[in-house]
Amino acid sequence: MGKFTLLGMMLLMLASACGQTGSGKTKTGDVLSKPENPYYSNTSTTKLNLPDSVWKKVLPEDVYEISRHAETERAFTGKYWDFTGKGTYYCAACGNKLFRSDAKFASQCGWPSFFEQDNKNSTTEKPDNSLGMERIEVLCGRCGGHLGHIFDDGPPPTGKRYCMNSIVLDFIPDKK
């Protein structure tokens, strides 16, 4: 295989490493119009085990596709990839507390990146061997929704990079 063909294949793999799809925008613009979701709570930690048909009814289409079908927004299109506000990030599907802004860092990968989760139960992980590579998928610890992937190229103190999709994150700023 020629070096240009190999280089082209490597660039294609990098561009699709997180399975990029979608535009990162909702049909109604930058503000998500959420249908009534009785399972959304910023305070409950009760595990949710709902059928896909229920999630399809209560989630906006873009949140549903990423959270329930492990799709990924395109790099550099999500509202939080370079956002620097101070506050807390929650799961957009169920309201579970995921990350604090003081654990967010500028990774320049095109997605919001964090070096640690809010607490040990915020997220869970599972092997992901899709796209012909080994990765670790990050799931919401409450609803099991896909959030993104974790890599070992983050900053101290953990050396981790939680590479998340903006679409499946809600942000609540700290009170002044």
Side-chain angles (χ1 to χ4, degrees):
M1 186 177 300
K3 68 179 178 181
F4 292 109
T5 306
L6 182 58
L7 177 62
M9 287 179 60
M10 289 173 57
L11 288 173
L12 181 61
M13 284 181 67
L14 282 173
S16 63
C18 287
Q20 299 172 12
T21 63
S23 67
K25 302 224 183 248
T26 65
K27 291 180 182 174
T28 58
D30 289 336
V31 177
L32 290 177
S33 56
K34 292 184 181 184
E36 192 64 33
N37 181 349
Y39 309 104
Y40 192 95
S41 171
N42 291 124
T43 57
S44 178
T45 56
T46 303
K47 295 273 189 201
L48 295 173
N49 188 13
L50 303 171
D52 190 62
S53 59
V54 171
W55 288 117
K56 188 165 182 65
K57 289 178 186 173
V58 301
L59 296 178
E61 185 179 349
D62 52 0
V63 174
Y64 170 78
E65 288 301 322
I66 290 176
S67 176
R68 305 327 299 175
H69 292 160
E71 296 292 336
T72 301
E73 66 194 1
R74 286 186 298 133
F76 306 102
T77 64
K79 60 186 171 185
Y80 298 127
W81 81 268
D82 65 348
F83 180 72
T84 58
K86 300 296 180 199
T88 305
Y89 293 86
Y90 296 85
C91 175
C94 73
N96 186 39
K97 187 176 181 183
L98 300 170
F99 303 99
R100 291 279 308 143
S101 61
D102 55 7
K104 190 172 188 288
F105 67 99
S107 69
Q108 302 305 315
C109 70
W111 291 276
S113 297
F114 304 86
F115 60 80
E116 68 184 349
Q117 59 198 358
D118 180 67
N119 68 67
K120 66 182 177 105
N121 297 318
S122 293
T123 63
T124 61
E125 301 168 5
K126 75 175 192 177
D128 176 2
N129 296 313
S130 65
L131 302 177
M133 61 182 77
E134 293 180 18
R135 299 181 294 172
I136 299 173
E137 182 180 11
V138 178
L139 306 167
C140 173
R142 181 169 182 242
C143 72
H146 173 79
L147 300 170
H149 291 87
I150 186 171
F151 303 95
D152 289 325
D153 60 359
T158 65
K160 301 292 184 189
R161 175 172 54 100
Y162 287 82
C163 183
M164 304 291 99
N165 289 285
S166 290
I167 292 172
V168 291
L169 299 176
D170 283 340
F171 178 78
I172 297 178
D174 287 342
K175 293 181 179 160
K176 302 247 174 186

